[in-house]
Amino acid sequence: MSKNIISVENLNKRFADKSICAEASFGIEKDDKIGLIGINGCGKSTLLKILVKKETADSGKVTLKSDLTIGYLPQIANLDGSLTIFEQVYFSDHHVFKLLRKYHDNQIRLERNYTKQLEQQQQDMITELDTCQGWDYEFKAKSILTKLGFRDLNVKTSILSGGQKRRLDLARCLIDEPKSLILDEPTNHLDIDTIEWFQEYLTAYQGAVIFVTHDRYFLDSVCKKIFELEEGKLRQYSGNYSQYLKKKELQLADLQSKETRRLTQLKKEIKWLHRGAKARTTKPKDHLDRVKELIDKSYLTETKELEISFQQKRLGKSILELRNIGKTYDENSLFKNFNYNFQKLDRIGIIGFNGCGKTTLLRLITGEELPSSGKVKVGYNTHFSYFRQETLNFKKDMSVLDYIREQADNIRMADGTLHSASDMLGKMLFPKKMQQNRISSLSGGERKRLHILKSLMFGSNFIILDEPTNDLDINTLEILEDYLDVFKGCVLVVSHDRFFLDRVVDYLFIFEEKGIVIFPGNYSDYLLVRRFRETEILTRKSVGKDILSNKKKTNRSKKLSNKENRELGNINKTIKELELEKGNLETKIETEAGVLTVKDFSRISQRLSKIEKLLEPLINRWLELEEKREDRS
């Protein structure tokens, strides 16, 4: 008997001359966690729509288990703008939410016009909600909404931003508690802390999940399988994203070996054909067919070119200086008194919760907004390239090639050579046939990839990227990362993509309640320090309680031997000295982060780690002596 909750047999789907999938067959079991990957426009979203019956296949069969419920998150939220956030969630078909909705409606009627009958109905519903654990559902719903950034549930969904609508739609999927989840780019518009919460949520989720994402750390943490869509073929790999990469590497090595053998055989066959007429009288047609087969049978697909480095203007001595800048809206201060003097080759990431002012800071830097206080001083030779996260305005009837040619037919590279607009599009995964397509036919991710190319290639020396990874495929992200590696200017990027931040940046601007904190290191460095501090706080509280409770027993220390008393005194002194040094180093990181180099930060981190190793045995021995003193008393 099949364990599949979703079964797909011989699925075929085409759009115009492009194959989305051909003869695809697979099954999804109840505890599967599947990441679906592939370049933008390959058909990932279409495949998900076919699975939830939002779109039909050309042929093949999709079978869902009879009692299966699916929570489907599309790329674009389809919400009723006339409803509030509360109504959007509670108007679910889930039987508990129907009961909760009825309870809340009845409560309003009771408050307006009290009757004994209404009160009795309310009491009956309370009993029923107690029986079906309805309050737990309500608590979970409000917890998820709060985690996704919703506090006021009476706001109309019509006034929400696109990102807020996406988060509300995600909340809707999770709150209904379906038996499976099918999610299209679920991490878009989530801040990093929320992504990590959602990552843990899906890992613990008791049901099947298939999702599209570009977040490589997310794929690594959640996935048990990877489905790859490539040129109309669906390939399946067991394991997470790292294991998929290892298998792809072995697969590529095998294909390269086959390709070498093919070329060797082809050379032999062509050499035979070039021999004299007498030799060719023996079965020449067989050899011609063999040569044709070898020519057509290449094992390797064309790979992307990664060496993109545009010519750019040199930065001057003064690049960009932020002097005590602040921004306030309606007496709500986003940040104030922030200072930073940019240096050559600065690579800085900006992180913080949604709505904290990250995009506002970028707009102040580029002059699109003015600061409420302070001054932004831009160097004479500083030229910005600003990639915005807002919806892009394209002339949709324009072709892909004409969109790039609108600014230049040829683009000069860092080595001085000229490349045509068509060549540059090829490097960004737009083959020549696709370059003639209208922009209106492109997927959202393909349009974003096109805009990134145009944003980067015209001589800027200071690149500003606001959430560049939303809707981009992993291949495009790798091209962008490789480009930024060789870029000789400054990079300032707002992103929730942890892998991208680790790959690209050396410093962080962290938006916290107390202001913008400058941190020397990438996101993994910051996470390590943050977890270290959280552990320290818990340890100090625990040890503090032990010390406090044992202070009352100090007078009994005479029960220890003189040697043990001296040892205890020395331990107390050493712990105090180490704790003081550690506190000073932590304060140095917090207050001098802006002037610390990566080497300074590494040295301080190593010393903090060493102090922690020294403290552990001392604290253990201190506790041992205190227990001994207590026992003897």
Side-chain angles (χ1 to χ4, degrees):
M1 184 176 176
S2 174
K3 295 181 180 178
N4 293 338
I5 58 171
I6 301 177
S7 297
V8 177
E9 301 173 57
N10 303 319
L11 195 71
N12 290 281
K13 182 69 177 180
R14 294 185 67 87
F15 279 132
D17 59 345
K18 179 164 63 175
S19 174
I20 300 301
C21 57
E23 298 298 322
S25 296
F26 59 89
I28 299 174
E29 297 183 3
K30 65 177 182 179
D31 60 346
D32 274 342
K33 302 285 193 297
I34 300 168
L36 177 60
I37 64 174
I39 68 168
N40 292 131
C42 70
K44 301 185 294 295
S45 295
T46 300
L47 180 58
L48 296 189
K49 288 175 184 175
I50 291 172
L51 294 181
V52 295
K53 307 295 181 73
K54 299 285 184 184
E55 196 158 320
T56 57
D58 298 333
S59 62
K61 187 178 181 182
V62 177
T63 306
L64 308 181
K65 196 176 177 183
S66 58
D67 62 343
L68 182 65
T69 53
I70 297 176
Y72 170 58
L73 178 74
Q75 275 197 18
I76 300 173
N78 182 23
L79 303 175
D80 187 340
S82 66
L83 299 179
T84 64
I85 293 172
F86 174 86
E87 291 168 338
Q88 195 76 58
V89 171
Y90 281 78
F91 273 59
S92 159
D93 289 333
H94 195 289
H95 71 282
V96 173
F97 285 105
K98 286 181 179 178
L99 186 59
L100 282 166
R101 188 163 70 247
K102 190 176 177 183
Y103 165 80
H104 286 292
D105 289 343
N106 204 50
Q107 185 66 34
I108 293 169
R109 286 198 295 272
L110 256 176
E111 292 169 0
R112 289 175 180 170
N113 186 22
Y114 172 84
T115 67
K116 286 187 176 181
Q117 183 181 3
L118 281 175
E119 185 180 21
Q120 184 57 50
Q121 288 175 358
Q122 197 73 333
Q123 288 302 319
D124 291 343
M125 278 188 283
I126 289 171
T127 303
E128 193 174 351
L129 283 165
D130 286 338
T131 303
C132 67
Q133 298 179 317
W135 310 116
D136 291 343
Y137 278 89
E138 182 167 50
F139 176 77
K140 178 186 174 184
K142 289 183 177 177
S143 297
I144 289 173
L145 285 165
T146 301
K147 194 67 188 176
L148 292 172
F150 299 104
R151 303 286 189 286
D152 184 357
L153 304 187
N154 295 314
V155 172
K156 293 281 188 183
T157 57
S158 58
I159 68 169
L160 299 180
S161 68
Q164 288 172 321
K165 287 177 181 176
R166 279 276 292 172
R167 297 202 303 276
L168 180 56
D169 210 21
L170 177 59
R172 173 194 57 78
C173 287
L174 303 183
I175 288 168
D176 275 356
E177 293 196 334
K179 293 182 179 178
S180 62
L181 291 167
I182 295 182
L183 312 170
D184 199 348
E185 294 286 6
T187 62
N188 281 0
H189 306 290
L190 301 183
D191 59 50
I192 292 177
D193 286 342
T194 308
I195 288 173
E196 291 183 351
W197 164 82
F198 185 46
Q199 188 172 287
E200 292 173 6
Y201 181 96
L202 285 189
T203 302
Y205 175 72
Q206 300 295 311
V209 185
I210 179 167
F211 59 92
V212 172
T213 187
H214 59 265
D215 190 317
R216 287 155 281 186
Y217 282 160
F218 197 84
L219 285 166
D220 246 7
S221 296
V222 177
C223 287
K224 295 179 182 177
K225 292 180 182 176
I226 297 289
F227 283 5
E228 179 189 51
L229 262 183
E230 186 178 31
E231 297 181 341
K233 294 180 181 177
L234 182 76
R235 298 183 179 90
Q236 303 177 47
Y237 299 85
S238 60
N240 63 12
Y241 184 70
S242 292
Q243 291 165 322
Y244 153 79
L245 288 178
K246 290 175 184 176
K247 289 172 183 176
K248 284 287 286 185
E249 190 176 1
L250 291 172
Q251 193 178 72
L252 181 60
D254 182 54
L255 291 174
Q256 286 173 333
S257 177
K258 288 180 179 177
E259 180 70 0
T260 300
R261 291 197 296 271
R262 180 187 75 86
L263 292 174
T264 301
Q265 185 62 32
L266 180 60
K267 192 180 289 186
K268 288 180 181 178
E269 295 292 343
I270 290 174
K271 187 177 180 180
W272 183 89
L273 287 175
H274 287 167
R275 287 166 61 189
K278 186 176 181 181
R280 286 201 300 273
T281 58
T282 311
K283 298 183 181 178
K285 187 177 183 305
D286 290 347
H287 279 276
L288 287 171
D289 289 344
R290 175 63 177 157
V291 169
K292 186 176 183 305
E293 181 186 350
L294 287 169
I295 290 172
D296 293 340
K297 196 183 178 181
S298 175
Y299 289 96
L300 300 178
T301 57
E302 185 180 351
T303 56
K304 61 182 183 295
E305 298 178 61
L306 297 175
E307 295 181 5
I308 302 176
S309 182
F310 303 114
Q311 194 172 77
Q312 64 191 63
K313 296 177 182 178
R314 288 186 179 181
L315 285 164
K317 289 184 179 179
S318 176
I319 299 171
L320 173 66
E321 190 175 348
L322 309 179
R323 298 178 182 171
N324 294 314
I325 64 165
K327 188 65 179 180
T328 300
Y329 290 110
D330 300 325
E331 299 184 357
N332 177 31
S333 177
L334 292 177
F335 51 86
K336 58 185 177 181
N337 299 326
F338 180 61
N339 292 277
Y340 191 78
N341 190 10
F342 284 82
Q343 305 298 313
K344 288 183 179 179
L345 300 181
D346 264 354
R347 300 285 193 272
I348 297 172
I350 303 177
I351 62 174
F353 57 89
N354 289 325
C356 65
K358 302 186 294 293
T359 297
T360 300
L361 178 61
L362 301 187
R363 288 174 178 161
L364 297 183
I365 288 171
T366 57
E368 293 184 9
E369 288 191 36
L370 295 175
S372 303
S373 60
K375 186 176 180 181
V376 177
K377 184 182 177 184
V378 180
Y380 181 76
N381 289 326
T382 302
H383 298 272
F384 296 116
S385 177
Y386 184 14
F387 179 83
R388 296 166 178 79
Q389 65 167 309
E390 293 92 355
T391 304
L392 307 173
N393 293 317
F394 289 98
K395 298 175 184 175
K396 294 186 178 180
D397 289 337
M398 183 181 282
S399 73
V400 171
L401 182 57
D402 287 341
Y403 176 73
I404 299 299
R405 280 180 170 170
E406 195 174 35
Q407 263 185 283
D409 284 325
N410 296 289
I411 299 96
R412 194 168 295 279
M413 308 301 284
D415 60 5
T417 60
L418 282 174
H419 285 251
S420 69
S422 179
D423 287 342
M424 294 313 304
L425 283 165
K427 290 175 184 287
M428 286 296 281
L429 309 179
F430 290 101
K432 292 201 172 184
K433 190 174 182 181
M434 191 178 185
Q435 293 172 20
Q436 304 306 320
N437 292 353
R438 294 183 186 277
I439 292 176
S440 58
S441 70
L442 301 181
S443 69
E446 287 171 327
R447 290 181 196 179
K448 196 158 190 179
R449 188 197 312 151
L450 183 63
H451 183 57
I452 279 182
L453 176 61
K454 194 170 185 177
S455 297
L456 298 182
M457 68 186 191
F458 293 107
S460 65
N461 50 26
F462 197 123
I463 292 174
I464 298 176
L465 303 167
D466 193 358
E467 295 288 7
T469 65
N470 282 350
D471 301 317
L472 287 183
D473 57 71
I474 293 171
N475 297 54
T476 305
L477 287 177
E478 288 173 347
I479 292 174
L480 179 58
E481 288 161 357
D482 287 342
Y483 170 70
L484 295 177
D485 272 350
V486 298
F487 179 66
K488 300 301 182 185
C490 293
V491 176
L492 185 61
V493 55
V494 172
S495 181
H496 63 266
D497 189 315
R498 298 158 295 172
F499 190 100
F500 185 82
L501 288 172
D502 277 354
R503 179 83 158 73
V504 170
V505 309
D506 300 317
Y507 278 78
L508 293 175
F509 291 171
I510 305 164
F511 278 71
E512 297 181 351
E513 289 185 6
K514 61 184 178 182
I516 303 174
V517 175
I518 302 170
F519 180 87
N522 60 22
Y523 181 74
S524 286
D525 295 331
Y526 163 67
L527 191 61
L528 184 66
V529 171
R530 190 175 75 174
R531 286 176 179 167
F532 175 78
R533 287 176 181 169
E534 288 169 353
T535 303
E536 278 299 292
I537 290 169
L538 292 173
T539 303
R540 284 180 185 177
K541 285 181 179 178
S542 176
V543 172
K545 287 178 182 177
D546 289 336
I547 292 172
L548 192 61
S549 64
N550 280 290
K551 273 184 178 179
K552 298 175 183 178
K553 302 164 189 172
T554 305
N555 293 331
R556 287 177 267 190
S557 61
K558 293 180 182 178
K559 298 294 182 181
L560 297 176
S561 70
N562 289 334
K563 183 179 179 182
E564 287 170 332
N565 270 321
R566 284 195 301 273
E567 183 185 3
L568 185 59
N570 289 332
I571 288 174
N572 279 325
K573 182 182 176 183
T574 305
I575 288 176
K576 186 176 179 180
E577 289 171 351
L578 289 172
E579 287 282 6
L580 180 62
E581 183 185 358
K582 187 167 74 168
N584 290 337
L585 290 174
E586 288 174 347
T587 301
K588 188 177 182 68
I589 285 180
E590 291 175 359
T591 59
E592 300 179 27
V595 295
L596 289 176
T597 65
V598 175
K599 184 181 274 188
D600 291 333
F601 173 74
S602 177
R603 176 177 52 77
I604 292 172
S605 296
Q606 287 173 13
R607 179 56 185 164
L608 283 170
S609 180
K610 188 174 181 180
I611 289 172
E612 180 63 21
K613 288 177 182 176
L614 291 170
L615 279 171
E616 186 178 354
L618 287 170
I619 290 172
N620 288 338
R621 179 57 177 159
W622 178 86
L623 289 171
E624 183 183 328
L625 290 171
E626 288 290 351
E627 285 174 11
K628 188 175 181 181
R629 180 199 305 175
E630 184 177 356
D631 290 341
R632 288 185 178 184
S633 66

